[in-house]
Amino acid sequence: MKWKKILLNGRVILLIFFLMISIISLATRGLTFGLDISGGISITVKLEKPVDPQTMEQVRIALDQRLNALGVKDITIEPWGNQFVIIKVARVSEEEADQLVKTIERQGVFYAEFEGVIFATGKDILNVGSVGYDPRQSAWVVPFRLSKEAAEKFAELARGKAGYPVDMFLDPPVNSTLVVSKEFYNALISPEFIMSGDMTLAERIEKAFNIKIIVYNNQTPEEIAEVTKNSERIILVDVDNNLTKELKALGLNVEIWTKEKGEEMDEFVRRVLRLYGPYKVGSGLATGQPQTEVMISIGGSQNDIRARNDAQIVAVVLRSGSLPVKLSIERIDYISPKLGENFKQQVLIAGIAALLVVGAIVYLHYRRFKIAIPVMFTSFSEVLIILGIASMIRWNLDLPSIAGIIAAIGTGVDQQIVITDELLGEVGGGKRRLIKRSGVLKRMGRAFFIILASATTTIVAMSFLFKFFVGGLRGFAFTTILGVLVGILITRPAYGEIAKVLIGERR
């Protein structure tokens, strides 16, 4: 009779209803875990300067287009203040993470240059096709369409110049001075970059982008500073790294590039200049007839993952256009999916252990299973309902979110103890006595007044955290508020009814 009375109570029925809905949601939709549990990358991006909300939105949209075009799922882009953006991507491999970072770092300013003359920029790109492999060129190719004006300008420049080189750049170091090693300079003036033309690559980039080249011959920092005083920055390429500190000490903007192990010098040149090409002008393009359909080729075999990824990055940057402001990577946090899986197991074990320990402490306090078991059941129900709602709304459960659930359970147990103590009553000397039926409702009302006041202060405090904090603590605030609401609206009233039957009405 006692259990029948409990199960037919409206508040207990409401609890059972939400439990069933939660179980169905968890079984059909599953949980979505944040990158600190499922593995992934968190990238903090700093804008060159503070921007207004409109510019920040343009940055967010451009980044969203670029990163989504890579085919990576579960991307979260959150502006933080007026100068930072936090990008989170769950379940990515190290290779995908590296690709994401390269894509973000690209400013995306495109230039097509011929004989030192820029004939097309990003605004002249009307359409970008799919990345594919061309076995005839042994290269991954990115086809795209140029505007009519750019095509006509190129046709005029290239008339009768078959075999001349065409260069394409993404974010070249404009208005800079390159202090380079002798080997690097020799590559810049090598026939590989001249082809059948009459200008070296060094001459072309100086004419097109005001990039000056100085061969390093142990000049002093002061001598270099004097020669480069009109440049926006100095780029040290394959030279003594100690020179960097000395030039920075003079207040100069210095960047350094080092040749990677096994990297060919021509590849190094392309990497420093952000150069794609050069491409030889075919006889068909030297007739003076405009051609709007062109492509960028990146050499490599069909199985060359690096070449394929580079081609995809180029396609993404060409599609999304230039970013309104320059970006820099401020911080990168990467957690491998395998490590994240371990976190998931640890969190599950910790949750079960916490529930059992709470039950044991409650039992030791009251010495009654009829109190300890309902408290544990109510706490477990609360967790299940919180997870069920998180599943329904696809909330990313990260470690702070789980900490919020545990905090909500902790406050929930406290409130159940308040209800239990009010039902048991207390006499002098710390001995408890069962209260009369007439006092049950009054004591329950007092218990719920305390609970409601406590829940209100928690919700108000966490609301500010949720509204004004973008980082992981937002998840903590959300699950804490959700847990408190589930507690005061569903589980606590149900526990009160169960406790009334099991404890309060025994006299």
Side-chain angles (χ1 to χ4, degrees):
M1 286 298 291
K2 190 177 287 187
W3 288 107
K4 186 178 178 182
K5 188 175 182 181
I6 291 173
L7 292 174
L8 291 179
N9 185 279
R11 292 173 179 175
V12 176
I13 291 173
L14 182 67
L15 172 65
I16 294 172
F17 172 76
F18 272 94
L19 279 175
M20 291 177 65
I21 295 291
S22 300
I23 291 170
I24 292 171
S25 177
L26 288 169
T28 55
R29 297 170 65 88
L31 288 170
T32 305
F33 292 101
L35 59 90
D36 48 3
I37 295 178
S38 61
I41 187 169
S42 172
I43 306 169
T44 303
V45 176
K46 183 179 181 182
L47 278 59
E48 184 182 28
K49 57 185 179 182
V51 298
D52 56 38
Q54 188 177 358
T55 306
M56 180 62 84
E57 181 62 12
Q58 291 174 4
V59 172
R60 191 195 66 75
I61 292 171
L63 288 173
D64 188 57
Q65 288 176 343
R66 287 186 179 191
L67 301 182
N68 276 301
L70 293 174
V72 181
K73 297 178 180 177
D74 298 330
I75 298 175
T76 305
I77 301 174
E78 296 179 333
W80 191 11
N82 59 5
Q83 202 173 0
F84 291 90
V85 177
I86 297 176
I87 300 166
K88 294 181 179 178
V89 189
R91 296 182 292 280
V92 292
S93 63
E94 285 189 48
E95 180 187 305
E96 290 172 325
D98 183 57
Q99 197 175 3
L100 285 166
V101 171
K102 286 182 178 176
T103 304
I104 293 168
E105 286 178 328
R106 289 285 170 81
Q107 180 69 14
V109 180
F110 172 81
Y111 297 97
E113 170 268 326
F114 181 81
E115 289 287 275
V117 178
I118 297 169
F119 63 88
T121 61
K123 64 181 176 56
D124 294 306
I125 299 172
L126 304 182
N127 182 53
V128 181
S130 301
V131 173
Y133 185 75
D134 186 348
R136 293 170 300 177
Q137 299 185 46
S138 297
W140 288 88
V141 296
V142 184
F144 61 96
R145 183 184 301 155
L146 279 176
S147 67
K148 183 181 175 184
E149 294 75 18
E152 288 176 345
K153 188 174 181 180
F154 174 71
E156 185 65 29
L157 289 168
R159 184 195 298 270
K161 295 181 178 178
Y164 277 48
V166 178
D167 305 311
M168 295 187 183
F169 298 86
L170 279 172
D171 304 329
V174 178
N175 298 324
S176 300
T177 296
L178 273 61
V179 181
V180 305
S181 65
K182 183 67 178 174
E183 292 77 16
F184 190 91
Y185 181 74
N186 288 338
L188 283 174
I189 61 174
S190 67
E192 180 179 354
F193 290 105
I194 298 176
M195 296 182 170
S196 301
D198 50 17
M199 294 178 71
T200 66
L201 178 57
E203 292 170 331
R204 299 199 298 271
I205 60 176
E206 180 171 4
K207 182 179 177 182
F209 305 114
N210 192 28
I211 299 174
K212 297 177 182 176
I213 308 294
I214 296 175
V215 179
Y216 181 61
N217 289 316
N218 296 319
Q219 297 97 320
T220 65
E222 289 74 16
E223 289 173 335
I224 294 175
E226 177 62 26
V227 177
T228 62
K229 59 184 178 183
N230 294 323
S231 297
E232 292 180 4
R233 56 180 161 166
I234 300 171
I235 301 175
L236 303 179
V237 184
D238 204 25
V239 298
D240 185 5
N241 289 347
N242 294 327
L243 195 57
T244 309
K245 290 182 181 177
E246 296 170 323
L247 288 171
K248 284 185 176 179
L250 297 174
L252 300 173
N253 183 11
V254 184
E255 186 178 308
I256 185 161
W257 288 76
T258 305
K259 186 169 171 287
E260 295 178 355
K261 187 178 181 181
E263 186 178 29
E264 298 293 337
M265 188 55 78
D266 61 323
E267 293 176 358
F268 187 39
V269 168
R270 290 184 177 91
R271 186 160 62 91
V272 172
L273 298 177
R274 288 80 152 179
L275 167 65
Y276 295 86
Y279 306 100
K280 187 179 291 187
V281 176
S283 56
L285 293 173
T287 59
Q289 295 298 317
Q291 301 284 337
T292 57
E293 302 293 337
V294 292
M295 65 174 64
I296 289 178
S297 304
I298 298 175
S301 68
Q302 194 164 6
N303 298 322
D304 189 337
I305 296 174
R306 182 175 177 179
R308 184 197 64 189
N309 289 343
D310 283 348
Q312 287 177 335
I313 291 171
V314 170
V316 167
V317 172
L318 291 178
R319 285 192 188 107
S320 60
S322 305
L323 291 165
V325 294
K326 289 184 179 179
L327 308 179
S328 61
I329 304 291
E330 192 76 1
R331 174 174 173 169
I332 299 173
D333 295 310
Y334 176 73
I335 299 174
S336 74
K338 187 176 180 181
L339 188 61
E341 192 62 34
N342 292 335
F343 282 161
K344 204 182 296 181
Q345 293 176 1
Q346 291 170 3
V347 166
L348 181 63
I349 293 170
I352 293 172
L355 198 61
L356 292 174
V357 170
V358 166
I361 292 173
V362 172
Y363 173 75
L364 290 173
H365 183 65
Y366 293 106
R367 299 288 181 181
R368 296 181 189 182
F369 281 114
K370 65 169 53 176
I371 295 176
I373 291 175
V375 167
M376 289 179 64
F377 171 74
T378 307
S379 299
F380 179 70
S381 302
E382 205 163 297
V383 173
L384 215 54
I385 293 172
I386 294 171
L387 293 178
I389 294 174
S391 168
M392 288 179 213
I393 63 174
R394 294 288 185 193
W395 181 265
N396 268 341
L397 277 176
D398 50 16
L399 289 178
S401 298
I402 291 173
I405 293 174
I406 294 172
I409 291 171
T411 56
V413 171
D414 289 346
Q415 292 166 0
Q416 289 173 71
I417 289 174
V418 171
I419 295 171
T420 306
D421 283 347
E422 287 294 333
L423 286 173
L424 287 174
E426 190 168 349
V427 295
K431 294 181 180 178
R432 299 183 184 282
R433 63 176 172 76
L434 295 175
I435 62 173
K436 296 180 180 179
R437 179 192 291 270
S438 58
V440 170
L441 292 178
K442 184 178 179 182
R443 286 177 173 272
M444 284 286 288
R446 188 165 61 190
F448 273 95
F449 176 78
I450 297 170
I451 290 168
L452 191 61
S454 169
T456 303
T457 55
T458 303
I459 290 172
V460 170
M462 289 295 130
S463 297
F464 282 99
L465 195 62
F466 181 77
K467 174 68 178 174
F468 297 108
F469 207 95
V470 177
L473 287 180
R474 200 175 185 205
F476 176 81
F478 173 77
T479 49
T480 302
I481 293 172
L482 181 61
V484 170
L485 288 174
V486 168
I488 60 174
L489 297 176
I490 303 171
T491 56
R492 228 69 74 225
Y495 174 77
E497 296 300 325
I498 295 171
K500 264 197 307 186
V501 173
L502 295 179
I503 306 168
E505 293 187 352
R506 181 186 174 188
R507 53 191 192 276

